[in-house]
Amino acid sequence: MRANVLDRAPTVPDRPGRRSHPAGLARAQLHAWALLPALARLHRADEADQALRTALAELEADPSGTAPGRFGFDEPELALHQAEADLALGRHQQARTRAEASCAACPDGTGGWAAAALVLAQAEAAGSPQDAVQRALHVLDHVPAARLRSTARTRLHQLSTHHATDLTERLHTLPTAIDHHGHAL
């Protein structure tokens, strides 16, 4: 019998990228952007939780912390990544709580707000599919199609699989996504 590939995969501490990134923000990003969602999608909950703890510790230790004007990774984005990981791990209530926090911390109509609102809709989909659809439609009403990120479009299409006729119809009317050069994606 063949061994499962995941059983042979290295654990988080053995990953070379971890050692090459400086402490603080860069390492927090590596853990929250890359390791946390990947491990969650692989259903490696203990390792995903450890990646999150490390990201939080690295952010706490970062000398720039949450200083105004610091570019990049912030608490609402971290909450968004946590929510997505919680969804992948089947922790829908935790995902909802974290997505709500991320959404509340982002200015309405921005890409971050749309991402958080759509992850919140995904968390709501199992228990309240109509609420999830209404939230997705609200995003479409408040974010111009040209500003919808590819990740937002993916989340919208995932939500439309919940037999949401209104949402499916709206998605069919969206113009094709384009890159920064104006070319179709």
Side-chain angles (χ1 to χ4, degrees):
M1 181 157 114
R2 289 176 42 169
N4 184 337
V5 173
L6 295 179
D7 293 337
R8 294 190 311 253
T11 60
V12 174
D14 296 331
R15 300 199 188 275
R18 232 177 61 81
R19 291 186 298 270
S20 66
H21 278 75
L25 181 62
R27 197 168 292 168
Q29 289 173 314
L30 173 69
H31 281 85
W33 280 348
L35 293 175
L36 176 60
L39 292 166
R41 283 191 298 272
L42 292 170
H43 301 285
R44 292 166 67 168
D46 291 341
E47 290 174 272
D49 291 341
Q50 180 57 48
L52 175 59
R53 285 190 295 275
T54 302
L56 292 169
E58 291 292 341
L59 275 178
E60 179 83 20
D62 185 58
S64 299
T66 57
R70 180 182 57 79
F71 177 76
F73 197 65
D74 59 12
E75 290 181 23
E77 191 168 353
L78 175 59
L80 175 66
H81 293 300
Q82 288 177 277
E84 289 179 307
D86 285 333
L87 273 178
L89 293 168
R91 301 171 182 165
H92 290 80
Q93 187 53 48
Q94 286 177 303
R96 184 178 180 151
T97 300
R98 289 181 170 141
E100 285 172 339
S102 180
C103 195
C106 295
D108 286 357
T110 62
W113 172 83
L118 292 172
V119 170
L120 177 54
Q122 289 175 315
E124 293 172 326
S128 304
Q130 194 56 285
D131 290 345
V133 169
Q134 289 307 310
R135 189 173 306 279
L137 291 170
H138 182 73
V139 168
L140 288 172
D141 289 340
H142 288 86
V143 179
R147 291 188 41 215
L148 278 176
R149 297 175 182 168
S150 63
T151 52
R153 288 172 179 261
T154 299
R155 290 178 183 116
L156 284 162
H157 284 286
Q158 290 169 342
L159 286 164
S160 73
T161 63
H162 292 280
H163 309 292
T165 307
D166 295 347
L167 181 56
T168 303
E169 289 174 9
R170 287 284 299 275
L171 292 176
H172 286 304
T173 66
L174 282 179
T176 304
I178 57 171
D179 64 16
H180 62 280
H181 297 292
H183 301 190
L185 296 177

